[in-house]
Amino acid sequence: LTKNTGRQLRIHILSHSWHGGLDYSESAMSEAVNTEKYFNEFFHLVKYHKSSLGEGICSFTKPSKLELKLYTELHECQKAVHDALADNFDTPTVMKLLKSVVSDAYTYLNVQKQPNVRLLIQVAAYL
């Protein structure tokens, strides 16, 4: 426990089912460290895009197909997370779903020249 943060420990615990055993080996904990890094990098990227948004800018544009796809993926993730938590508190599935929606957001960012920052904020807020 001296090598890992509380957040990494919580991520590690959430990556295992509540009724299963936990492995605290270095290799098992490295997965939690990588997951934390993955989420933190996404949060920093959203923060960067949010800072480029500016103060008081309010623009309404028709969503692109890519934006609609990411919004749909976020909505499906939210429903699947709810279902997983209702199904015997299946936190390993929840963690996979959250990683998946971040991956979808990265895919969106790689293709979209000017991303919809408000949509990215929605994804980050859900995490």
Side-chain angles (χ1 to χ4, degrees):
L1 294 176
T2 58
K3 292 183 181 181
N4 300 99
T5 66
R7 180 179 293 141
Q8 291 165 351
L9 185 59
R10 286 188 291 276
I11 289 171
H12 178 68
I13 291 168
L14 289 172
S15 297
H16 294 80
S17 61
W18 64 270
H19 54 79
L22 284 174
D23 176 16
Y24 292 105
S25 69
E26 191 126 350
S27 61
M29 290 303 293
S30 70
E31 179 66 29
V33 171
N34 291 336
T35 299
E36 180 190 34
K37 183 179 176 187
Y38 185 66
F39 286 144
N40 279 339
E41 287 172 354
F42 176 70
F43 291 136
H44 287 298
L45 189 60
V46 171
K47 191 175 185 179
Y48 166 77
H49 284 291
K50 185 178 177 182
S51 70
S52 69
L53 188 61
E55 289 289 324
I57 296 175
C58 185
S59 63
F60 298 98
T61 58
K62 182 178 178 182
S64 69
K65 288 181 182 179
L66 290 171
E67 290 168 354
L68 289 174
K69 183 176 186 245
L70 180 57
Y71 179 77
T72 301
E73 289 164 344
L74 174 61
H75 181 70
E76 288 172 357
C77 174
Q78 290 170 331
K79 183 181 178 336
V81 164
H82 174 76
D83 292 345
L85 291 175
D87 180 26
N88 202 16
F89 213 66
D90 188 3
T91 57
T93 299
V94 169
M95 293 301 292
K96 289 175 188 169
L97 290 164
L98 295 178
K99 287 181 196 176
S100 176
V101 78
V102 170
S103 176
D104 295 337
Y106 273 124
T107 301
Y108 166 75
L109 282 167
N110 287 334
V111 176
Q112 189 71 24
K113 300 250 187 232
Q114 294 195 338
N116 180 336
V117 179
R118 288 172 183 84
L119 178 56
L120 294 175
I121 292 170
Q122 276 186 300
V123 173
Y126 183 68
L127 297 177

